[in-house]
Amino acid sequence: MSKPETTNQMAPGSQKRVSNGAIFAGCAVFVGCMVGAAYASVPLYRLFCQVTGYGGTTQRVEQYSETILQKPIQVTFDANVSSGLNWEFKPAKTVNPKIGETVQVEYTATNRSSTASTGTAVFNVTPMEAGAYFNKVQCFCFTEQTLEPGQSITMPVVFFVDPEIAKAPETKNIKTITLSYTFYPSEKAQPVAALPKGETVGEGKL
């Protein structure tokens, strides 16, 4: 007597369950990737702007230029304050350095309010194509600035214009660059919730 043939047949409905599970897993991975991309987009965009100078973003460097061209370029300055910060903010005077020459200029700020306040400076360069060639060695915009009531401070900016600006087709004819700053009030840190009296971290009712 011949043995009955056996087949690897799946129980009814099991194949459908496997397919649904695979679809759910795929959807979960997709959603996770989208959330990760959303969180990464802002720092990645900032990094892109810093590297390329996109949008007039200036460059931050640690050393001075070793090459100075016998070609001057005019640099003008602009100063603005947002409505949420009661400061007087004055720009530096126009300078005409040689391309590649390191220059120091000074902005001034005064707190006109009756309380101490902290501001952060946002900056850009016009024309925007020049942003990739405007190198700042030192700048008050690298950190927050806190002023006491009525206090005035002088804030230096040390910079040079990269000699490569004279070679690039889109920038070689630029004769004037404007460095603009806008001060905004710094966001206050959110207070940490206090624990009930007599209770320490790790304690609590279950």
Side-chain angles (χ1 to χ4, degrees):
M1 180 181 296
S2 59
K3 295 182 180 180
E5 295 182 359
T6 58
T7 57
N8 295 326
Q9 294 182 346
M10 299 178 67
S14 61
Q15 186 174 0
K16 185 177 181 180
R17 286 196 297 273
V18 172
S19 299
N20 289 342
I23 292 173
F24 176 78
C27 289
V29 171
F30 176 76
V31 172
C33 291
M34 292 299 292
V35 171
Y39 277 100
S41 60
V42 173
L44 286 176
Y45 179 76
R46 288 177 180 172
L47 178 61
F48 171 76
C49 289
Q50 291 173 355
V51 172
T52 64
Y54 181 77
T57 302
T58 62
Q59 309 300 297
R60 181 175 180 176
V61 297
E62 301 294 334
Q63 60 186 14
Y64 304 115
S65 172
E66 296 180 355
T67 302
I68 299 177
L69 305 181
Q70 296 304 312
K71 180 180 179 181
I73 187 166
Q74 186 179 67
V75 183
T76 63
F77 304 92
D78 185 37
N80 306 278
V81 182
S82 75
S83 58
L85 194 63
N86 189 15
W87 286 12
E88 181 181 11
F89 185 34
K90 295 182 179 180
K93 295 180 179 179
T94 298
V95 293
N96 292 276
K98 295 176 182 177
I99 295 177
E101 179 184 1
T102 300
V103 181
Q104 176 173 319
V105 298
E106 294 179 341
Y107 278 71
T108 58
T110 302
N111 181 3
R112 299 185 297 189
S113 68
S114 58
T115 58
S117 54
T118 301
T120 301
V122 176
F123 55 87
N124 75 298
V125 162
T126 53
M128 292 189 296
E129 294 82 2
Y133 303 94
F134 197 98
N135 297 322
K136 290 191 290 189
V137 181
Q138 179 183 347
C139 182
F140 58 88
C141 58
F142 294 161
T143 59
E144 294 181 338
Q145 303 295 325
T146 299
L147 298 181
E148 297 299 324
Q151 181 185 6
S152 294
I153 59 173
T154 299
M155 301 174 294
V157 181
V158 179
F159 71 91
F160 65 89
V161 179
D162 193 325
E164 292 297 318
I165 196 173
K167 298 180 182 178
E170 68 275 13
T171 57
K172 66 180 182 180
N173 293 321
I174 291 177
K175 294 183 175 12
T176 301
I177 296 175
T178 300
L179 175 62
S180 179
Y181 290 95
T182 300
F183 257 113
Y184 291 89
S186 297
E187 295 182 1
K188 295 181 179 179
Q190 295 295 327
V192 179
L195 292 172
K197 274 191 174 182
E199 192 172 302
T200 58
V201 176
E203 294 181 350
K205 298 179 181 179
L206 298 178

